[in-house]
Amino acid sequence: MSAFTFQDTPYYQKSLDFFAWSKQLIAELPASHSEEKNQLNRASSSITYTFAEGYGRYHKREKQNFYVISRGSVFECVAVIDSLLKVKAINETKYMEGIEQLVELSKMISGLINAMNSH
């Protein structure tokens, strides 16, 4: 068991996995894609950091708002990866690695948001 309960959640762990994957992708991209590198770095870290911040909030509405922002960052990462594929900066295999992780993260965070709405 971790010092903070959010560290043990599946979403947080998956978001860290994607963060690590995106850092590796960023390191592999040429300097000519600095805008995409910066955007992916910000958005992938936001998935993790915003979830953690929201998890620490006491009020349901406030917590949910942070989860919605985290989900938005997932979608932002999809757009960056789509862009990189479109200009052939990444191949289809690398693209699918990222998209599969993002689909899973989107479903997980949507589940959390929906569960909060049903209570």
Side-chain angles (χ1 to χ4, degrees), residues 39-108:
Q39 197 69 30
L40 185 58
N41 185 53
R42 284 193 302 272
S44 65
S45 60
S46 177
I47 294 169
T48 304
Y49 303 160
T50 306
F51 171 77
E53 185 175 356
Y55 198 92
R57 300 299 171 130
Y58 288 110
H59 302 287
K60 177 180 161 182
R61 186 177 294 281
E62 191 177 18
K63 183 182 296 269
Q64 186 178 34
N65 185 54
F66 278 90
Y67 292 172
V68 169
I69 293 167
S70 183
R71 185 174 181 268
S73 295
V74 168
F75 281 65
E76 187 175 357
C77 288
V78 170
V80 174
I81 293 171
D82 281 348
S83 300
L84 291 169
L85 180 66
K86 186 70 170 181
V87 298
K88 299 180 177 28
I90 59 173
N91 63 31
E92 187 74 28
T93 301
K94 186 60 83 171
Y95 172 80
M96 288 309 299
E97 286 175 9
I99 291 299
E100 287 170 5
Q101 292 181 72
L102 291 165
V103 165
E104 190 171 357
L105 283 167
S106 177
K107 287 179 181 178
M108 292 172 90

Side-chain angles (χ1 to χ4, degrees), residues 17-57:
D17 291 343
F18 180 75
F19 178 76
W21 179 88
S22 69
K23 285 293 195 184
Q24 183 176 348
L25 177 63
I26 290 165
E28 295 169 1
L29 289 170
S32 61
H33 291 285
S34 61
E35 183 177 329
E36 293 88 352
K37 290 165 79 165
N38 289 336
Q39 197 69 30
L40 185 58
N41 185 53
R42 284 193 302 272
S44 65
S45 60
S46 177
I47 294 169
T48 304
Y49 303 160
T50 306
F51 171 77
E53 185 175 356
Y55 198 92
R57 300 299 171 130

